[in-house]
Amino acid sequence: MPPKKAVKEEKILLGRPGNNLKSGIVGLANVGKSTLFQAITKCSLGNPANFPYATIDPEEARVIVPDARYDWLCQHYNPKSRVPANLTVYDIAGLTRGASTGAGLGNAFLSHIRAVDAIFQVVRCFDDAEIIHVEGDVDPVRDLTIISEELRIKDIEFVEKALESLQKQTRRGGQSLEMKKLKEEEATVEKILAWLKDGKDVRKENWSPKEVYEPTFRKFASTQASISSYDEQELVEVINPLMLLTAKPVVYLVNLSEKDYIRQKNKHLPKIAEWIKEHATGDPIIPLSISFEERLTRFENDAAAYEECKKIGTKSALPKIIVTMRQMMNLGSFFTTGTDEVRQWTIRKGTKAPQAAGVIHTDFEKTFIQCIVFNFDVLKELADEAAVKAAGKVMTKGKDYVVEDGDIILIKAGAAKS
């Protein structure tokens, strides 16, 4: 009898379980954050300037998510209304050394980072005597270390306060189930604190379901997505409510000069790759030239910008940046289609059909009956819906169906109760 295949345990996701997630552009002052924000959002918000703290309050804008599937569906159905997916991006003011202790406008800036779900960390790798560097010279590894340490120090402060609060409660003692829960929660928070003090980011540990979700022993219908071991128990989040800065997914954006970006060479890149490998293994690194991206925005239209890229032998990094961030936040899409409207909806991967229906309208989640589903890849291969039906590829699914990225869905729901 052949040996059983080892079951690969999926890493428990940290962060809010919602679909409307936000990403923030973070970095030291004068590394190109506000200019990137303007280029990626194609808007005039943000405040690029050659001095620290030009941005104080965060700016917010939505970025259209590039997706060839959406473009194909719009061409196929030629709908009256076209609504692509979008990603919410914040331009957050620059950090500085000592921000965790309030230096600069540190406390306010760190609170803005707490409010987002993922981080674009911009690191400067270009020399320009006219653009000052808050640390005096260009040293991306030093800059990466400063930000990493500032975020971790602030997390230690958050966790120590949480632990102090728990210890006050557990000192009362007792053998009740509630006390047992508090002691387990205390043990988890102690482990988080030790992890941070060891110089590690929270997102890099494989936390168990019990550490992410601490079960209580009061049985009732939970609103959280079920974890098999605790289906009959209330699941109380332990790590996520701490809103830890180092728990958030990070995409590292290496800001090069236009010349270095076109030739894809820079003296700092190998050292940055080494630093990421040692301190943030697995996090994506994307080289770009923010000055080049800003220059592309000045062209009359996308076609003219494309011709400029073609002429100099390169392409914009922005589509890759947006798509990579969606992947890091574990986001996917489903579509609703027809001649009236083609729309791309954003969901967390692993979302079940009723919750996906709730993204369209909250009443649909409550009154969900079933959904008619076929995948985009099948439609593209067979060319039209009639052929998809003839091939038996249209499925009718119920409440337990997990929506797949690229599904085209028709929701059937009952009348909402008044």
Side-chain angles (χ1 to χ4, degrees):
M1 191 173 176
K4 290 183 179 179
K5 288 184 179 179
V7 178
K8 185 182 177 182
E9 286 190 14
E10 289 191 18
K11 188 173 180 178
I12 302 297
L13 291 171
L14 301 177
R16 295 186 302 142
N19 306 304
N20 299 316
L21 303 183
K22 300 170 288 188
S23 53
I25 301 174
V26 172
L28 296 182
N30 291 357
V31 297
K33 299 182 304 301
S34 293
T35 306
L36 171 62
F37 179 79
Q38 291 187 344
I40 203 169
T41 61
K42 293 182 170 62
C43 74
S44 58
L45 295 172
N47 187 24
N50 187 21
F51 54 87
Y53 317 126
T55 302
I56 296 177
D57 294 322
E59 299 284 3
E60 173 189 1
R62 290 185 176 182
V63 181
I64 291 175
V65 175
D67 195 319
R69 300 171 301 179
Y70 169 78
D71 296 337
W72 188 93
L73 289 169
C74 287
Q75 188 176 8
H76 180 74
Y77 287 99
N78 192 25
K80 298 171 188 171
S81 172
R82 305 175 183 209
V83 186
N86 58 67
L87 181 69
T88 302
V89 178
Y90 280 78
D91 176 24
I92 296 174
L95 286 173
T96 188
R97 191 192 296 271
S100 57
T101 57
L105 297 174
N107 288 325
F109 297 165
L110 290 166
S111 71
H112 297 154
I113 299 173
R114 284 191 93 190
V116 301
D117 301 286
I119 295 170
F120 287 117
Q121 186 168 323
V122 182
V123 58
R124 176 176 167 176
C125 287
F126 65 89
D127 292 303
D128 189 331
E130 293 184 5
I131 301 176
I132 60 173
H133 193 295
V134 290
E135 289 291 322
D137 62 343
V138 175
D139 183 346
V141 169
R142 175 203 60 211
D143 296 352
L144 286 165
T145 303
I146 288 171
I147 291 180
S148 176
E149 288 179 351
E150 292 300 326
L151 298 185
R152 198 178 308 112
I153 290 167
K154 201 65 183 177
D155 274 357
I156 288 171
E157 181 185 321
F158 295 145
V159 175
E160 284 178 337
K161 285 180 181 176
L163 183 59
E164 184 181 344
S165 175
L166 282 167
Q167 287 172 338
K168 284 180 182 177
Q169 297 176 72
T170 56
R171 281 195 204 105
R172 299 194 309 261
Q175 300 297 319
S176 67
L177 293 177
E178 182 65 22
M179 184 56 65
K180 181 179 178 182
K181 181 196 83 70
L182 284 170
K183 287 180 178 177
E184 288 175 349
E185 190 174 340
E186 181 183 14
T188 297
V189 174
E190 285 175 341
K191 180 179 175 180
I192 296 167
L193 184 59
W195 182 263
L196 287 165
K197 286 187 172 181
D198 199 29
K200 299 172 186 174
D201 290 343
V202 171
R203 70 182 180 280
K204 291 305 172 186
E205 171 65 312
N206 288 316
W207 304 99
S208 70
K210 194 174 180 182
E211 290 167 331
V212 177
Y213 299 99
E214 193 72 55
T216 68
F217 299 86
R218 298 188 301 274
K219 293 186 179 182
F220 82 116
S222 173
T223 57
Q224 291 283 352
S226 66
I227 296 175
S228 58
S229 306
Y230 313 129
D231 278 348
E232 298 302 318
Q233 298 166 355
E234 176 189 5
L235 296 175
V236 179
E237 294 183 297
V238 178
I239 295 177
N240 291 337
L242 296 171
M243 297 174 67
L244 299 176
L245 304 173
T246 65
K248 302 176 189 297
V250 179
V251 175
Y252 291 92
L253 304 181
V254 180
N255 187 12
L256 310 173
S257 67
E258 182 171 331
K259 178 183 175 183
D260 283 356
Y261 177 67
I262 292 169
R263 66 192 185 116
Q264 290 291 291
K265 286 184 180 179
N266 180 278
K267 63 183 179 181
H268 298 294
L269 285 173
K271 292 179 182 178
I272 292 172
E274 279 179 35
W275 189 93
I276 299 290
K277 185 177 179 181
E278 181 180 351
H279 300 279
T281 306
D283 288 349
I285 314 168
I286 303 178
L288 81 159
S289 170
I290 293 174
S291 62
F292 172 64
E293 300 295 348
E294 188 273 333
R295 187 165 74 81
L296 289 182
T297 65
R298 295 185 226 150
F299 284 87
E300 199 170 312
N301 51 47
D302 289 344
Y306 174 76
E307 285 302 316
E308 173 67 8
C309 290
K310 195 174 174 182
K311 185 174 80 174
I312 61 179
T314 190
K315 60 183 179 180
S316 169
L318 298 186
K320 181 179 181 181
I321 288 169
I322 296 165
V323 170
T324 301
M325 179 52 81
R326 268 175 58 96
Q327 291 170 346
M328 291 297 288
M329 292 196 287
N330 204 42
L331 297 174
S333 296
F334 71 92
F335 301 91
T336 50
T337 58
T339 54
D340 285 334
E341 181 181 83
V342 167
R343 186 161 184 156
Q344 184 173 3
W345 303 88
T346 298
I347 54 170
R348 269 279 176 95
K349 290 178 182 176
T351 298
K352 290 188 176 181
Q355 287 70 47
V359 174
I360 300 173
H361 195 292
T362 52
D363 286 346
F364 291 171
E365 180 175 357
K366 300 169 192 172
T367 61
F368 178 89
I369 298 171
Q370 62 183 22
C371 60
I372 311 301
V373 186
F374 54 94
N375 197 269
F376 168 81
D377 292 336
V378 176
L379 176 63
K380 187 177 180 183
E381 180 186 347
L382 299 178
D384 61 48
E385 288 188 28
V388 174
K389 288 176 185 175
K393 298 293 186 179
V394 178
M395 305 174 288
T396 301
K397 295 292 184 179
K399 294 181 179 181
D400 290 330
Y401 176 68
V402 176
V403 176
E404 294 185 9
D405 186 43
D407 274 350
I408 297 169
I409 299 180
L410 173 65
I411 302 293
K412 293 192 175 182
K417 294 179 181 179
S418 57

